[in-house]
């Protein structure tokens, strides 16, 4: 028997990528979670979605979770006769909080847990590589899988990661409308000036130190010249809120490709624009795990 009996449940954190200067590299796991319950059935595919994306996300073979599970089963050389997925989604979609990475990572971890001896056939490095290949960028995948604060990079074709443990108070301000990552990436210029590249590399280095040992530097460390201003046209209200918070000395950035604004502080929910959601969060040290 290759498959385990009964349901496997996975909890996966939301993530925030970039953190200002760490474009496509830095990421944090946050205490906001999606949950996935899966079991092998005799035949067919049943997908039930509750919460974010319910009634909107596909529930057939074009479902992202099913595709990620199928890719993982292929790698492990197994084909389940049927599957049932129950998704409890709390990570908002299209807001820069890593919902697609969370879905991909949760699905691969769940597929692995459904196979007897799955961890021997697909270790964490293989999960990370597969999820990065599917997602396209490692900066949301890494914290979704490993938790904490992650520095992700690609070496050749290999997805690499360094994970660090950090603690900070976080507030995320989530606008009512999504912005597509493709649109946000399309706004970036082909080239940037040496001065901007140099400023960002210094700030990204400072960000690692600020997050791990000197939070008083976060306001400087979160400065960015590579992506946020270029994307402001697609998320003007987010950009304005980020700037207003920064003027007050509150380190704030655009989360991932936006349009959520992430601030390294709590007790600031009075700043929430009308119609937006606000969440006071912490940094989650656990990545996707069975519970
Ligand atoms: N680093 C990515 C971006 C995050 O900002 O486009 C979304 O994958």
């Amino acid at each position: 028997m290759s498959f385990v009996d009964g349901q496997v449940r996975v909890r996966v954190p939301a993530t925030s990528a970039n953190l200002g200067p760490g474009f496509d590299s830095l990421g944090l796991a946050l205490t906001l979670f999606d949950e996935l319950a899966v079991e092998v059935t005799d035949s067919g595919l049943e997908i039930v979605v509750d919460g974010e994306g319910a009634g909107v996300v596909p529930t057939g073979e074009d479902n992202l979770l099913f595709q990620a599970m199928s890719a993982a089963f292929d790698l492990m050389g197994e084909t389940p006769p049927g599957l049932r997925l129950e998704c409890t989604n709390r990570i908002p979609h299209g807001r820069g909080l890593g919902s697609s990475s969370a879905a991909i990572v949760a699905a691969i971890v769940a597929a692995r847990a459904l196979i007897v001896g799955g961890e021997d056939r697909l270790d964490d490095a293989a999960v990370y590589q597969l999820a990065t290949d599917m997602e396209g960028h490692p900066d949301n995948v890494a914290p979704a899988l490993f938790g904490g604060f992650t520095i992700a990079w690609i070496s050749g074709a290999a997805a690499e990661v360094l994970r660090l443990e950090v603690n900070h108070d976080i507030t995320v301000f989530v606008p009512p409308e999504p912005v597509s990552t493709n649109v946000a990436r399309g706004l970036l210029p082909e080239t940037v000036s040496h001065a901007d590249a140099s400023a960002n590399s210094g700030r990204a280095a400072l960000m690692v130190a600020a997050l791990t040992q000197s939070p008083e530097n976060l306001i400087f460390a979160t400065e960015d010249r590579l992506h946020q201003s270029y994307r402001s046209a697609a998320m003007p209200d987010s950009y304005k809120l980020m700037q207003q918070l920064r003027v007050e000395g509150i380190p704030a950035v655009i989360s991932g490709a936006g349009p959520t604004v992430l601030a390294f502080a709590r007790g600031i929910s009075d700043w929430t624009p009308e119609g937006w959601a606000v969440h006071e969060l912490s940094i989650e040290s656990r990545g996707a795990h069975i519970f």
Side-chain angles (χ1 to χ4, degrees):
M1 183 67 184
S2 304
F3 298 102
V4 302
D5 284 332
Q7 226 177 32
V8 160
R9 296 193 301 159
V10 178
R11 180 179 289 130
V12 63
T15 55
S16 183
N18 301 332
L19 311 181
F23 182 69
D24 277 356
S25 174
L26 303 184
L28 286 178
L30 303 173
T31 52
L32 178 69
F33 305 94
D34 279 354
E35 289 170 4
L36 171 65
V38 291
E39 62 187 313
V40 174
T41 58
D42 291 338
S43 66
L45 171 65
E46 189 183 357
I47 300 178
V48 181
V49 180
D50 189 33
E52 298 286 337
V56 177
V57 298
T59 53
E61 293 196 356
D62 49 351
N63 178 277
L64 183 60
L65 289 118
F66 175 74
Q67 291 182 345
M69 289 188 77
S70 300
F73 286 131
D74 283 348
L75 273 184
M76 293 183 285
E78 300 286 353
T79 308
L83 282 173
R84 176 179 158 83
L85 283 67
E86 288 172 28
C87 311
T88 305
N89 294 342
R90 301 188 193 90
I91 306 172
H93 291 186
R95 303 299 202 287
L97 288 169
S99 64
S100 59
S101 288
I104 291 168
V105 166
I108 297 171
V109 168
R112 176 173 75 175
L114 281 176
I115 305 267
V116 175
E119 295 214 1
D120 299 330
R121 296 201 231 172
L122 201 66
D123 63 12
D124 282 352
V127 173
Y128 180 43
Q129 185 71 48
L130 174 59
T132 299
D133 290 345
M134 288 192 71
E135 221 285 328
H137 314 285
D139 50 343
N140 284 114
V141 169
L145 180 60
F146 299 111
F149 168 43
T150 51
I151 305 167
W153 70 101
I154 303 288
S155 179
E160 306 283 356
V161 62
L162 175 69
R163 181 198 178 284
L164 297 167
E165 191 69 35
V166 297
N167 276 301
H168 281 281
D169 291 343
I170 301 284
T171 300
V172 291
F173 300 91
V174 186
E177 296 301 326
V179 169
S180 116
T181 299
N182 283 345
V183 167
R185 290 190 84 85
L187 292 169
L188 301 179
E190 282 290 311
T191 57
V192 296
S193 72
H194 199 280
D196 286 350
S198 147
N200 258 63
S201 58
R203 296 307 192 284
L206 182 61
M207 188 62 179
V208 177
L211 274 176
T212 51
Q213 62 191 43
S214 62
E216 67 277 12
N217 285 312
L218 277 169
I219 192 71
F220 308 111
T222 47
E223 288 170 353
D224 160 70
R225 294 204 215 166
L226 291 189
H227 62 104
Q228 294 178 156
S229 64
Y230 296 109
R231 290 169 159 175
S232 61
M235 51 196 91
D237 295 339
S238 301
Y239 195 73
K240 187 171 143 204
L241 174 60
M242 181 194 80
Q243 286 182 308
Q244 288 171 333
L245 291 167
R246 296 188 63 81
V247 165
E248 293 298 316
I250 300 167
V253 296
I254 300 293
S255 182
T260 289
V261 175
L262 178 144
F264 290 90
R266 273 198 227 149
I268 53 170
S269 38
D270 285 356
W271 285 90
T272 313
E274 204 179 324
W276 292 35
V278 63
H279 301 283
E280 293 198 325
L281 304 173
S282 302
I283 296 170
E284 171 59 40
S285 69
R286 291 187 83 180
H289 59 277
I290 307 296
F291 73 105

